[in-house]
Amino acid sequence: MNGVLDEALTLVIPTGMTRDMNKRDLTNLMTSYGIIEQAKSDFLAQLITFEEYIDLCNSHQINVDSYMETIEHNLVQLKVL
């Protein structure tokens, strides 16, 4: 089940978002996504709650509303919902 949840929680960086970023901005973005990926692993390992995971995503400027819609869509596609 963790594999399915891991897949459903996949976070992608939209390529259009990075088009005008300089090296420093890209480095900061990749650092943030690394932190979020670790938090996702921690959530799946039940080390943090889903709420804590989403709060961390929000603090790293992830559009949480859009992300929640993506998670729901992924769960439907994976036939979990």
Side-chain angles (χ1 to χ4, degrees):
M1 183 64 144
N2 267 1
V4 172
L5 289 176
D6 186 37
E7 190 173 340
L9 294 170
T10 298
L11 194 58
V12 213
I13 300 172
T15 56
M17 181 179 134
T18 60
R19 184 178 359 184
D20 297 325
M21 289 185 164
N22 61 33
K23 184 177 179 179
R24 181 173 166 235
D25 291 338
L26 286 170
T27 299
N28 290 340
L29 178 66
M30 296 311 295
T31 299
S32 284
Y33 272 67
I35 291 167
I36 292 167
E37 280 297 312
Q38 181 59 55
K40 179 176 76 169
S41 295
D42 290 348
F43 165 65
L44 293 173
Q46 300 180 348
L47 300 174
I48 64 172
T49 66
F50 186 67
E51 203 170 89
E52 290 169 318
Y53 170 66
I54 292 301
D55 286 344
L56 187 61
C57 289
N58 190 46
S59 71
H60 283 272
Q61 301 177 342
I62 300 298
N63 181 329
V64 173
D65 292 332
S66 176
Y67 184 41
M68 295 299 275
E69 289 175 10
T70 300
I71 292 170
E72 181 180 17
H73 172 79
N74 291 346
L75 290 171
V76 168
Q77 293 298 311
L78 294 166
K79 299 180 179 39
V80 175
L81 288 182

